[in-house]
Short mmCIF file of all heavy atoms in Angstrom, two decimals:
data_model
loop_
_atom_site.label_atom_id
_atom_site.label_comp_id
_atom_site.label_asym_id
_atom_site.label_seq_id
_atom_site.Cartn_x
_atom_site.Cartn_y
_atom_site.Cartn_z
N THR A 1 69.72 62.04 97.37
CA THR A 1 70.32 61.09 98.32
C THR A 1 69.93 59.65 98.02
O THR A 1 70.50 58.72 98.60
CB THR A 1 69.92 61.44 99.76
OG1 THR A 1 68.50 61.49 99.85
CG2 THR A 1 70.51 62.78 100.17
N HIS A 2 68.92 59.43 97.16
CA HIS A 2 68.52 58.08 96.78
C HIS A 2 69.45 57.58 95.67
O HIS A 2 69.66 58.27 94.66
CB HIS A 2 67.08 58.04 96.28
CG HIS A 2 66.07 58.37 97.34
ND1 HIS A 2 64.73 58.51 97.07
CD2 HIS A 2 66.20 58.60 98.67
CE1 HIS A 2 64.08 58.81 98.18
NE2 HIS A 2 64.96 58.86 99.17
N VAL A 3 69.98 56.39 95.83
CA VAL A 3 70.90 55.84 94.83
C VAL A 3 70.20 55.71 93.48
O VAL A 3 70.80 55.95 92.43
CB VAL A 3 71.47 54.49 95.29
CG1 VAL A 3 72.34 53.87 94.20
CG2 VAL A 3 72.27 54.65 96.57
N VAL A 4 68.92 55.33 93.49
CA VAL A 4 68.20 55.15 92.22
C VAL A 4 68.15 56.45 91.44
O VAL A 4 68.21 56.45 90.20
CB VAL A 4 66.78 54.59 92.47
CG1 VAL A 4 65.90 55.58 93.21
CG2 VAL A 4 66.13 54.17 91.16
N THR A 5 68.06 57.59 92.12
CA THR A 5 68.05 58.89 91.44
C THR A 5 69.37 59.10 90.71
O THR A 5 69.40 59.54 89.55
CB THR A 5 67.82 60.03 92.44
OG1 THR A 5 66.54 59.85 93.04
CG2 THR A 5 67.88 61.38 91.76
N GLN A 6 70.47 58.78 91.38
CA GLN A 6 71.79 58.94 90.76
C GLN A 6 71.94 58.03 89.54
O GLN A 6 72.50 58.43 88.52
CB GLN A 6 72.88 58.63 91.79
CG GLN A 6 72.92 59.59 92.96
CD GLN A 6 73.26 61.01 92.55
OE1 GLN A 6 74.05 61.22 91.64
NE2 GLN A 6 72.65 61.98 93.21
N SER A 7 71.41 56.81 89.64
CA SER A 7 71.50 55.86 88.52
C SER A 7 70.71 56.37 87.31
O SER A 7 71.19 56.31 86.17
CB SER A 7 70.98 54.49 88.95
OG SER A 7 71.76 53.95 89.98
N ARG A 8 69.50 56.84 87.57
CA ARG A 8 68.66 57.34 86.47
C ARG A 8 69.25 58.61 85.86
O ARG A 8 69.24 58.77 84.62
CB ARG A 8 67.24 57.59 86.98
CG ARG A 8 66.50 56.30 87.30
CD ARG A 8 65.16 56.55 87.99
NE ARG A 8 64.46 55.28 88.22
CZ ARG A 8 63.37 55.14 88.96
NH1 ARG A 8 62.83 56.21 89.55
NH2 ARG A 8 62.80 53.97 89.10
N LEU A 9 69.76 59.49 86.69
CA LEU A 9 70.39 60.71 86.19
C LEU A 9 71.61 60.37 85.33
O LEU A 9 71.82 60.95 84.26
CB LEU A 9 70.80 61.61 87.35
CG LEU A 9 71.57 62.88 87.00
CD1 LEU A 9 70.76 63.77 86.06
CD2 LEU A 9 71.96 63.64 88.27
N GLN A 10 72.39 59.39 85.78
CA GLN A 10 73.58 59.01 85.02
C GLN A 10 73.20 58.42 83.68
O GLN A 10 73.87 58.65 82.66
CB GLN A 10 74.42 58.01 85.82
CG GLN A 10 75.82 57.80 85.25
CD GLN A 10 76.61 59.10 85.16
OE1 GLN A 10 76.79 59.78 86.16
NE2 GLN A 10 77.10 59.43 83.96
N GLY A 11 72.11 57.64 83.63
CA GLY A 11 71.63 57.11 82.35
C GLY A 11 71.25 58.22 81.39
O GLY A 11 71.54 58.15 80.19
N TYR A 12 70.59 59.25 81.91
CA TYR A 12 70.21 60.44 81.12
C TYR A 12 71.47 61.11 80.55
O TYR A 12 71.52 61.46 79.35
CB TYR A 12 69.44 61.39 82.02
CG TYR A 12 69.13 62.76 81.46
CD1 TYR A 12 67.96 62.98 80.73
CD2 TYR A 12 69.99 63.84 81.71
CE1 TYR A 12 67.67 64.27 80.24
CE2 TYR A 12 69.70 65.11 81.22
CZ TYR A 12 68.54 65.32 80.49
OH TYR A 12 68.25 66.57 80.01
N LEU A 13 72.49 61.26 81.41
CA LEU A 13 73.74 61.89 80.97
C LEU A 13 74.48 61.01 79.97
O LEU A 13 75.05 61.52 78.98
CB LEU A 13 74.63 62.18 82.18
CG LEU A 13 74.05 63.15 83.23
CD1 LEU A 13 74.99 63.23 84.43
CD2 LEU A 13 73.82 64.53 82.62
N ASP A 14 74.49 59.70 80.20
CA ASP A 14 75.17 58.77 79.29
C ASP A 14 74.60 58.86 77.88
O ASP A 14 75.35 58.85 76.88
CB ASP A 14 75.00 57.32 79.77
CG ASP A 14 75.78 57.01 81.03
OD1 ASP A 14 76.67 57.80 81.40
OD2 ASP A 14 75.50 55.97 81.67
N ALA A 15 73.27 58.94 77.78
CA ALA A 15 72.62 58.98 76.47
C ALA A 15 73.05 60.22 75.69
O ALA A 15 73.31 60.16 74.48
CB ALA A 15 71.10 58.95 76.64
N HIS A 16 73.12 61.35 76.38
CA HIS A 16 73.56 62.58 75.72
C HIS A 16 75.02 62.48 75.28
O HIS A 16 75.38 62.92 74.19
CB HIS A 16 73.36 63.77 76.65
CG HIS A 16 71.94 64.23 76.76
ND1 HIS A 16 71.01 63.59 77.56
CD2 HIS A 16 71.28 65.25 76.15
CE1 HIS A 16 69.84 64.20 77.45
NE2 HIS A 16 69.98 65.21 76.61
N ALA A 17 75.85 61.90 76.14
CA ALA A 17 77.27 61.76 75.80
C ALA A 17 77.45 60.87 74.58
O ALA A 17 78.24 61.18 73.68
CB ALA A 17 78.04 61.19 77.00
N GLN A 18 76.70 59.75 74.53
CA GLN A 18 76.80 58.84 73.38
C GLN A 18 76.35 59.51 72.10
O GLN A 18 76.89 59.24 71.02
CB GLN A 18 75.96 57.59 73.64
CG GLN A 18 76.56 56.64 74.66
CD GLN A 18 75.69 55.40 74.88
OE1 GLN A 18 74.62 55.25 74.30
NE2 GLN A 18 76.17 54.50 75.72
N ALA A 19 75.34 60.38 72.21
CA ALA A 19 74.83 61.06 71.02
C ALA A 19 75.64 62.30 70.65
O ALA A 19 75.40 62.92 69.60
CB ALA A 19 73.37 61.46 71.25
N GLY A 20 76.60 62.67 71.51
CA GLY A 20 77.40 63.85 71.25
C GLY A 20 76.62 65.14 71.41
O GLY A 20 76.93 66.15 70.77
N ILE A 21 75.59 65.11 72.26
CA ILE A 21 74.74 66.28 72.49
C ILE A 21 75.01 66.80 73.90
O ILE A 21 74.79 66.08 74.88
CB ILE A 21 73.25 65.92 72.33
CG1 ILE A 21 72.97 65.43 70.90
CG2 ILE A 21 72.36 67.11 72.67
CD1 ILE A 21 71.56 64.92 70.69
N PRO A 22 75.46 68.03 74.03
CA PRO A 22 75.73 68.58 75.37
C PRO A 22 74.44 68.66 76.19
O PRO A 22 73.36 68.91 75.65
CB PRO A 22 76.27 69.99 75.08
CG PRO A 22 76.70 69.95 73.65
CD PRO A 22 75.81 68.98 72.96
N VAL A 23 74.57 68.43 77.50
CA VAL A 23 73.42 68.52 78.40
C VAL A 23 73.23 69.97 78.82
O VAL A 23 74.17 70.63 79.27
CB VAL A 23 73.62 67.64 79.65
CG1 VAL A 23 72.51 67.88 80.66
CG2 VAL A 23 73.67 66.17 79.26
N ASN A 24 72.01 70.45 78.66
CA ASN A 24 71.65 71.80 79.11
C ASN A 24 71.25 71.70 80.57
O ASN A 24 70.16 71.22 80.89
CB ASN A 24 70.51 72.35 78.24
CG ASN A 24 70.08 73.74 78.68
OD1 ASN A 24 70.62 74.31 79.63
ND2 ASN A 24 69.11 74.31 77.97
#
């Protein structure tokens, strides 16, 4: 429910997407 958590999680997902590595 904290916005900062969503921002950090999205950064984690973005990095995987840019690297072409699926998120487990």
Side-chain angles (χ1 to χ4, degrees):
T1 55
H2 294 174
V3 176
V4 66
T5 298
Q6 296 296 324
S7 298
R8 290 172 177 170
L9 175 59
Q10 193 58 56
Y12 171 89
L13 298 174
D14 290 346
H16 283 80
Q18 287 180 358
I21 298 174
V23 173
N24 179 359

